[in-house]
Amino acid sequence: MQNTKVWLCGVFVGMAIAGGALLIGQPTIGLAQPNEVLKDHWRNHDGHWSYWHEADKRWYYTDGTHWFFSTGAGWEPYRFDKHFGREGFERGEYKIPPPEAKVVLPKHEVWRPR
């Protein structure tokens, strides 16, 4: 009888440890998976709204005066060289800053899925 109780206790402890390991090993529901397509969307990160454009696979940001894109190492002025801004986007009176113009680049980070 004593051996049966010890054996059952060991089985229950082992099941609890295995169940905990399974729960911890599961990805959190709601986070983007590496193979998941994010589609075009806006996201507020680091106190700024940035736009993810799936066709270009990069983030865009505007300070209200200029448009920028994220290189992963920082922001660069956007010169409408990719898909974003080509269709369904009204530029109005926006003029792309010339290379010699002094433009203050944003310093905030962009959201990256883990």
Side-chain angles (χ1 to χ4, degrees):
M1 182 76 166
Q2 185 73 15
N3 284 340
T4 305
K5 288 182 183 178
V6 171
W7 185 81
L8 281 175
C9 184
V11 168
F12 286 129
V13 169
M15 288 174 51
I17 291 172
L22 284 174
L23 287 176
I24 291 172
Q26 293 296 324
T28 306
I29 296 172
L31 292 180
Q33 300 300 316
N35 58 354
E36 180 182 349
V37 176
L38 291 176
K39 300 181 185 172
D40 298 348
H41 68 280
W42 287 91
R43 183 178 296 270
N44 188 310
H45 179 74
D46 202 15
H48 300 274
W49 283 97
S50 298
Y51 184 75
W52 173 259
H53 193 261
E54 181 60 27
D56 297 344
K57 302 267 191 258
R58 64 183 182 186
W59 288 100
Y60 294 92
Y61 169 75
T62 182
D63 61 2
T65 304
H66 299 291
W67 281 93
F68 304 93
F69 70 94
S70 175
T71 62
W75 293 95
E76 294 289 328
Y78 180 54
R79 303 194 187 283
F80 294 90
D81 60 339
K82 293 265 189 170
H83 300 285
F84 178 64
R86 296 282 182 183
E87 295 179 15
F89 179 82
E90 189 173 327
R91 291 186 218 171
E93 297 297 317
Y94 180 70
K95 304 281 190 260
I96 300 167
E100 65 273 359
K102 185 170 186 148
V103 177
V104 178
L105 297 176
K107 301 223 184 297
H108 66 274
E109 297 292 323
V110 295
W111 178 82
R112 289 179 187 23
R114 291 184 168 87

